Amino acid sequence: MTAPVIKGSSFVITHTPSLVRHGSKPVREIEKDPEILDQILSGLRSFQEAVAYPPNQVFIGNLRPELLKDYERPWTNTYIQGAKRFSPWGEILPEDEFYGWLKIADSYNLISLEEKFLQENVKGSLEKHPLISKDDLEALGTGISLNEIEEKLSNDSALPLHIKKDQLIGVIEAGHDEDKFLSAHILLENLSNKASGIVAMRHALKAFDVSPEKIDYVIGCDEEAVGDRYQRGGGNMAKSIAEHAGCTNASGSDIKSFCCAPAHAISIAASLVQAGTHKEVLVIGGGCLAKLGMKFAGNLSKKMPITEDQMGAIAILVGQDDGKNPQIQMDAFGKHDISAGSSAQAIYQTLVVSPLERIGKQITDIDKYAVELHNPDVTEPNGNGNVPRGNYRTIAGMAVLRKELDRTEMNSFEEERGMIGFSPTQGHIASAIPFIGHARDMINKGEINNAMFVGKGSLFLGKMTTLSDGMSFMIEKNKGAE
């Protein structure tokens, strides 16, 4: 039986600086010191700056990761002339349009937008968007007056929505007066995930000419817990997103495993396709509003703009072998066993060495490794170091111990087989998966033969176990294309 293939993928950034105040860390810090809000608002980027930011162009697919080394860090000082909002795989979405997608995703009329803003800013822009339908525009409605918005905000359970940092343009209300798990804040997180996921899913289907009706199954791999007071994470985000993308013949479910959920989702999607249970599976992961501004203090301390002013969203098409797209190596999945331990060496033994040994390959037989691809412009100013570099040095060190790599080659391992981090620090978004679009393209063009994706997760954050988690998979040149 032939292996499943990666038929395409989409990567989307929603630039939402005015929502940074609703990120988990900013909310907590503003409650302690209200003056923090002014510092946050003064540190936000314009949409043009976000589009011209080099890592964002890499994330959506307009630049290869290796080209980042041509720009001096921090990249916030670089403005790429002629940078494009759209790419073959996705886009960078401005926040006024994102509010429109939020409203489109809102099935319960939780969000109200100011009428003038809705008509001029939102509808005026979205009417030109390649993914918008007539039904979408009708779903936007006509909006309400600013007085009505302020009246709704007199209820303490409602949250204000802003644009241009602090201009009031809307409100989101709670879903239930007595259920804190349907609070306005949690519903804003969930709707942000859903809306960004809808954009990514539609881009993937359109860019790779896949009819939505052909999708059999959708797997959500995001971090939001959709539910209520009786089952706080019951789901199902995947099916709610698929509904808005026209996948009328699909069912779906969510995979939860913190940061490495996308790697688990790919393994399940590939298994479903190879087993013949489903022919076309779409893995979807929307953005994480809770992590907006998570490390804002580090950026501000270095006189940098806040780089966590955006959410990432992903969509990956996994289907039956078509004789041309990269195949998923079904006997090379790596998993972090419960007995493995949580040291870096133990994790990489189970995720890299063991699956490669199984197929008779060495560490140096892999052309490119994708690990946790966090953008160092975010992590370094906050004292968290260069996350990808640390991972690549661990893999290189294991290759040296196994006598597959000379010690003198350790420093070049990252450049030759790894990459500089470029992903929004959104947990599941950053964990290896952002390279899959580049890898598919590079394999199809003959630039590389294979790539390995190493996702890691932090199960201990849920206080249910002290364990870490991890899952890895490998894609390679289609044997039918050789």
Side-chain angles (χ1 to χ4, degrees):
M1 184 178 291
T2 56
V5 299
I6 302 293
K7 288 193 170 180
S9 59
S10 172
F11 295 86
V12 168
I13 283 175
T14 63
H15 183 241
T16 53
S18 301
L19 290 177
V20 169
R21 68 175 70 196
H22 297 302
S24 178
K25 180 70 171 180
V27 165
R28 286 178 280 134
E29 295 304 314
I30 292 168
E31 286 177 353
K32 296 175 191 174
D33 180 3
E35 292 184 4
I36 293 290
L37 177 59
D38 291 332
Q39 296 176 29
I40 289 173
L41 295 181
S42 65
L44 298 175
R45 295 184 291 186
S46 69
F47 177 64
Q48 291 73 26
E49 289 171 328
V51 170
Y53 184 55
N56 286 354
Q57 287 294 308
V58 174
F59 186 81
I60 66 170
N62 282 337
L63 285 181
R64 285 276 191 256
E66 62 267 19
L67 295 179
L68 284 175
K69 68 178 183 296
D70 296 338
Y71 301 100
E72 187 177 346
R73 298 240 351 265
W75 294 307
T76 49
N77 293 335
T78 297
Y79 192 97
I80 296 180
Q81 297 295 329
K84 296 178 181 178
R85 166 188 166 174
F86 288 94
S87 74
W89 314 331
E91 68 173 300
I92 302 170
L93 190 74
E95 65 180 357
D96 53 353
E97 293 183 24
F98 182 69
Y99 280 124
W101 286 104
L102 272 180
K103 184 60 181 172
I104 291 166
D106 176 17
S107 301
Y108 286 85
N109 201 30
L110 301 166
I111 290 175
S112 300
L113 298 176
E114 193 273 324
E115 52 197 353
K116 184 178 179 183
F117 168 73
L118 177 60
Q119 296 300 323
E120 296 181 4
N121 295 60
V122 178
K123 278 192 174 180
S125 296
L126 285 183
E127 283 174 341
K128 307 168 190 173
H129 198 285
L131 302 179
I132 285 288
S133 69
K134 181 181 178 181
D135 289 343
D136 295 330
L137 294 174
E138 290 178 359
L140 290 172
T142 57
I144 64 175
S145 70
L146 195 57
N147 287 337
E148 290 175 285
I149 288 174
E150 291 172 341
E151 183 178 341
K152 288 179 181 291
L153 285 170
S154 64
N155 185 331
D156 290 341
S157 65
L159 273 184
L161 301 174
H162 301 85
I163 199 168
K164 296 178 181 177
K165 301 180 181 180
D166 59 358
Q167 178 186 336
L168 180 66
I169 49 82
V171 58
I172 179 168
E173 298 174 89
H176 194 285
D177 290 338
E178 298 178 351
D179 189 343
K180 64 182 180 180
F181 300 107
L182 292 174
S183 69
H185 197 143
I186 289 176
L187 289 172
L188 179 60
E189 291 179 352
N190 290 343
L191 279 173
S192 294
N193 182 296
K194 180 182 175 183
S196 56
I198 291 169
V199 180
M201 183 179 283
R202 289 194 188 182
H203 268 298
L205 295 170
K206 180 180 174 65
F208 298 97
D209 197 27
V210 175
S211 170
E213 293 82 8
K214 289 186 177 180
I215 300 298
D216 298 301
Y217 203 77
V218 180
I219 301 176
C221 62
D222 47 67
E223 297 192 328
E224 271 59 27
V226 180
D228 60 18
R229 60 194 181 278
Y230 296 116
Q231 33 81 52
R232 287 165 287 175
N236 173 324
M237 185 65 81
K239 204 166 183 178
S240 68
I241 292 173
E243 175 189 14
H244 286 269
C247 300
T248 54
N249 295 318
S251 185
S253 62
D254 294 346
I255 299 296
K256 299 298 182 189
S257 194
F258 287 90
C259 298
C260 72
H264 284 279
I266 292 290
S267 74
I268 294 169
S271 299
L272 288 171
V273 171
Q274 188 170 43
T277 308
H278 300 294
K279 294 180 180 179
E280 305 286 342
V281 180
L282 207 162
V283 173
I284 184 72
C288 184
L289 182 140
K291 290 179 179 174
L292 289 180
M294 185 168 54
K295 296 178 174 61
F296 78 89
N299 282 147
L300 295 181
S301 71
K302 302 297 182 183
K303 309 295 189 224
M304 295 169 63
I306 295 171
T307 45
E308 291 174 311
D309 58 350
Q310 56 193 24
M311 292 176 279
I314 60 173
I316 300 124
L317 293 158
V318 179
Q320 294 177 308
D321 188 15
D322 56 9
K324 59 180 181 179
N325 277 304
Q327 295 174 315
I328 300 170
Q329 186 84 17
M330 295 303 292
D331 52 357
F333 282 99
K335 60 185 177 70
H336 181 254
D337 301 332
I338 290 173
S339 61
S342 294
S343 70
Q345 187 168 342
I347 289 172
Y348 280 110
Q349 174 67 35
T350 61
L351 299 185
V352 175
V353 176
S354 294
L356 289 179
E357 285 182 334
R358 202 180 308 136
I359 59 173
K361 289 186 181 293
Q362 297 184 344
I363 291 174
T364 50
D365 289 328
I366 300 300
D367 294 334
K368 284 289 184 181
Y369 286 92
V371 293
E372 296 166 294
L373 296 174
H374 296 284
N375 179 353
D377 269 4
V378 179
T379 57
E380 286 187 339
N382 210 60
N384 300 110
N386 188 317
V387 178
R389 180 162 295 160
N391 283 296
Y392 288 125
R393 289 196 66 81
T394 300
I395 298 173
M398 295 188 75
V400 170
L401 288 174
R402 294 172 58 82
K403 303 189 185 307
E404 298 171 6
L405 187 75
D406 190 82
R407 185 174 295 277
T408 60
E409 299 175 281
M410 280 191 64
N411 290 334
S412 62
F413 186 90
E414 176 186 1
E415 184 172 346
E416 292 178 6
R417 303 183 189 275
M419 64 204 73
I420 302 173
F422 58 85
S423 175
T425 53
Q426 298 253 302
H428 63 300
I429 297 295
S431 194
I433 214 71
F435 183 61
I436 203 164
H438 292 286
R440 174 189 171 275
D441 197 46
M442 293 167 75
I443 291 172
N444 283 348
K445 290 179 177 177
E447 298 171 21
I448 59 174
N449 290 313
N450 56 35
M452 191 172 207
F453 298 80
V454 186
K456 294 195 294 180
S458 307
L459 296 183
F460 51 83
L461 295 176
K463 308 304 180 186
M464 293 293 106
T465 177
T466 59
L467 293 172
S468 295
D469 192 28
M471 193 81 185
S472 65
F473 63 95
M474 174 183 162
I475 66 174
E476 62 183 356
K477 184 179 179 66
N478 196 302
K479 292 178 175 60
E482 292 176 351

